[in-house]
Amino acid sequence: MIDIIKQIQEANPALGTTIIVLRPDSRALADPATLTPEAKAWLDANTSDARLSQETVMLAPYPGGAPTQRTVTVLAFSDARHLAAFATAWTGDPTLDDDEAA
């Protein structure tokens, strides 16, 4: 993952250094280029300057494999605290409400 972040930062320095690469199955994404309405609302309420971007990187499918181009979805933040809050809220497994857990 560190290699991916480094490639993205070198390819698009305008994103800054505080970025997260979202998995294709992230529950924050409606599709690779769009946040879900819930994730967008969360960002608007907690950090309105976050930017969604799609970037191309070279990734090997397995260690020692030949790298190929792949497009990844990136969310850039101006503050590491905002990235941490987003990651806490949107990249873990959703928690069940007390009623659902029973």
Side-chain angles (χ1 to χ4, degrees):
M1 187 55 91
I2 292 171
D3 292 343
I4 297 169
I5 298 292
K6 187 174 179 180
Q7 283 186 56
I8 292 167
Q9 290 171 333
E10 289 173 358
N12 189 349
L15 291 174
T17 59
T18 311
I19 62 175
I20 187 171
V21 177
L22 299 174
R23 291 172 31 149
D25 63 349
S26 169
R27 56 190 178 87
L29 293 175
D31 60 60
T34 311
L35 293 166
T36 63
E38 297 83 7
K40 177 73 172 124
W42 188 95
L43 287 169
D44 289 345
N46 293 284
T47 176
S48 60
D49 67 345
R51 295 179 295 143
L52 191 67
S53 174
Q54 288 196 292
E55 303 294 330
T56 301
V57 295
M58 295 296 290
L59 292 175
Y62 53 87
T68 59
Q69 275 193 339
R70 183 168 157 200
T71 301
V72 296
T73 304
V74 177
L75 197 52
F77 298 86
S78 63
D79 187 310
R81 293 172 295 180
H82 295 158
L83 184 151
F86 176 84
T88 300
W90 288 96
T91 63
D93 291 330
T95 57
L96 298 175
D97 291 337
D98 291 338
D99 293 340
E100 292 175 313

